[in-house]
Structures are given as C-alpha cells and as structure tokens.
C-alpha cells in the first residue's frame, strides 16, 4: 500500500534501445501497456569471468542474472494486468539472440542498450543489476520504483513483479489509491 502511494519520478530524457525488430524508444518497450518493468541484466563486455566454472562473454551472462532469467514464467499473466517485462543489456542483439536460444529465454523481450546511452546509469543499474518499474500517463513516462541488490533475488513470480509496480496486483482486496484499477 505504501509503495502504491510513493511519488513518481518523471522521465525527462529520450532513451533508445536496439530490439529484435530494430530501434525502440522507452515508450516502445511498454508494448502498448500502461506499466513496464525493465531488468538490467549483465550480459556484455562487463562479464569478464564466470567464477570457478570458467567462461566469459559472449558465451556466458552474469550467473545471478541468468538465474533471474530462468525464473521468468509465462508473461501472459503480467500482460493481462497491463504490465510488460523487458530485459536490457549492453550486448548487441545478435549475441542476445544466441544467448536466449541457448538458454530457452526467447519469451523474454530483450533489448540492447547502446554504448552512448545513459539509461542504466540514470536509473541506478550501471554498476549492478536491478528491476526498474515505469508507468505511462498519456505520453508521459514515470519511474515508480527500483529493486536491486539482494532484494532483486526475490523477484521472479508474477506476484512479485506486480507488487513492485505502481498499480500493484490490481485486486479488490488491495489498499490502493482512489482511481487505481482493481
């Protein structure tokens, strides 16, 4: 209930990504839904080793980020609540597609963050992974929440994703502000 009443931070910059279908803006990532969760996954030049098991980019993504991706279930349940989940990494689309195919993550919309973009730095996930929640009001976009660090490890179920959003689970029993969908 407290999270649903937190202030929203207006997104004032234009952000571009490279997606499976070409260039995409932050607004495009919403995929015509009202809410968006973007997970900044470490897959790119920053992945220089894979612990004791060896390997590095482009063969491997961050071990923790890979476990998070393994937990993503059918996105239809999020989409039914007007919410899109997308991943973003610094790797090019060709490498992302290979990684998705290798691990069975094709159901996750995954975008490349261009080298000149400040998206991950601006939203506190440049040095670490994290889930940022956004909401659209007309043509305006707002960031509503961030979960990173150890809190990020508990994210993965439909309910945990919805709980981090401004609109929550959108259930009748929820204590939500007036006018929120329930």
């Amino acid at each position: 209930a407290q999270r649903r009443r937190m202030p929203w931070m207006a997104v004032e910059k234009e952000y571009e990504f490279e997606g499976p279908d070409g260039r995409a803006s932050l607004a495009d990532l919403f995929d015509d839904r009202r809410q968006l969760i973007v997970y900044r996954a470490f897959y790119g030049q920053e992945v220089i080793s894979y612990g004791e098991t060896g390997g590095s980019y482009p063969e491997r993504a961050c071990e923790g980020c890979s476990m998070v991706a393994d937990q993503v279930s059918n996105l239809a349940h999020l989409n039914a609540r007007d919410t899109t989940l997308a991943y973003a990494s610094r790797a090019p689309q060709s490498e992302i597609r290979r990684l998705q195919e290798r691990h069975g993550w094709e159901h996750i919309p995954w975008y490349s963050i261009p080298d000149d973009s400040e998206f991950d730095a601006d939203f506190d996930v440049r040095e670490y992974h994290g889930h940022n929640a956004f909401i659209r009001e007309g043509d305006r976009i707002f960031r509503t929440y961030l979960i990173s660090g150890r809190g990020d490890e508990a994210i993965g179920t439909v309910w945990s994703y919805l709980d981090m959003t401004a609109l929550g689970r959108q259930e009748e029993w929820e204590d939500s502000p007036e006018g929120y969908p329930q």
Side-chain angles (χ1 to χ4, degrees):
Q2 290 175 336
R3 185 172 301 139
R4 286 185 296 284
R5 287 169 174 80
M6 291 179 69
W8 299 353
M9 180 186 83
V11 176
E12 304 294 346
K13 286 185 184 176
E14 296 290 324
Y15 295 97
E16 292 289 323
F17 301 85
E18 186 68 31
D21 299 321
R23 286 273 185 206
S25 67
L26 181 60
D28 293 332
L29 271 60
F30 280 81
D31 198 21
D32 294 323
R33 295 185 184 90
R34 187 166 181 206
Q35 297 190 117
L36 169 67
I37 300 167
V38 178
Y39 180 66
R40 194 325 192 168
F42 279 104
Y43 181 58
Q45 295 294 330
E46 71 274 13
V47 182
I48 54 174
S49 96
Y50 193 77
E52 296 175 12
T53 58
S56 63
Y57 173 81
E59 292 79 30
R60 303 282 184 148
C62 161
E63 183 178 61
C65 295
S66 296
M67 286 192 286
V68 171
D70 283 338
Q71 296 177 59
V72 175
S73 64
N74 187 323
L75 297 175
H77 302 289
L78 284 174
N79 298 164
R81 286 187 168 79
D82 216 9
T83 304
T84 297
L85 173 69
Y87 274 40
S89 296
R90 289 269 170 188
Q93 277 297 297
S94 59
E95 295 297 342
I96 289 172
R97 279 193 293 278
R98 279 195 281 276
L99 182 75
Q100 286 182 290
E101 289 171 7
R102 203 166 43 245
H103 292 281
W105 300 330
E106 294 96 339
H107 64 292
I108 303 171
W110 203 318
Y111 296 86
S112 298
I113 303 169
D115 290 339
D116 62 349
S117 176
E118 297 176 353
F119 174 82
D120 43 5
D122 289 349
F123 293 104
D124 306 312
V125 288
R126 178 76 174 141
E127 301 298 325
Y128 210 57
H129 57 84
H131 287 89
N132 272 284
F134 299 90
I135 193 166
R136 286 188 324 169
E137 287 288 316
D139 291 337
R140 300 202 60 208
I141 297 174
F142 301 87
R143 179 172 97 164
T144 60
Y145 204 67
L146 164 69
I147 295 179
S148 63
R150 298 288 73 121
D152 219 24
E153 295 171 343
I155 301 297
T157 67
V158 170
W159 302 123
S160 63
Y161 282 125
L162 290 171
D163 285 343
M164 74 170 290
T165 66
L167 301 179
R169 296 183 184 196
Q170 304 167 43
E171 300 284 342
E172 289 183 20
W173 56 264
E174 258 184 335
D175 177 7
S176 294
E178 186 73 29
Y180 275 41
Q182 291 186 289

